[in-house]
Amino acid sequence: METIEEVREFFKKDRYATESGMVIDEIGDKYAKCSMDLTEMHQNAVGAVMGGVYFVLADFTFAVANNWKEQGCVSLNSNITYLTPAKGKRLIGEATCIKDGRTTNLFRIDIRDDLDNLCATVNITGFKKR
């Protein structure tokens, strides 16, 4: 895949993420930025964004960063730290590669709201099946 349009078309098959409203905003070398608008569907019983929403956005952003050039990397281990509830109307995930080894890699995904609050940070270790 060469263009962001081709990448978006490929990742439409990631139906849970895309049907939840997640979109690919940017791609780069071992990098991706994805976002989503928050709706009532994303809220938990007390009106805050459900923790799984942050995690799925992080996982989707990780998948795009890892697989938009060459498919075959899967999540091996994930750790999320929730920092503050989202106060904005949009969540933005940004995946950056910390370490890229022969068979594994480590990405940090920061989840911010559109008011630039750092809501969660996720470390994901990937396993390269390719």
Side-chain angles (χ1 to χ4, degrees), residues 88-105:
K89 297 179 190 229
R90 187 166 185 76
L91 285 182
I92 301 111
E94 190 169 14
T96 306
C97 185
I98 305 300
K99 170 80 171 135
D100 191 27
R102 185 177 56 80
T103 58
T104 62
N105 58 27

Side-chain angles (χ1 to χ4, degrees), residues 15-22 36-45 47-53 56:
R15 292 185 55 204
Y16 187 80
T18 57
E19 290 180 17
S20 295
M22 297 175 194
M36 64 181 297
D37 290 328
L38 295 171
T39 68
E40 288 183 7
M41 177 183 87
H42 301 110
Q43 293 178 350
N44 61 20
V49 176
M50 186 166 203
V53 175
V56 173

Side-chain angles (χ1 to χ4, degrees), residues 66-84:
N66 253 309
N67 293 298
W68 74 267
K69 278 188 173 180
E70 180 181 5
Q71 292 76 52
C73 188
V74 296
S75 176
L76 183 63
N77 182 53
S78 304
N79 180 297
I80 187 166
T81 302
Y82 299 99
L83 301 168
T84 190

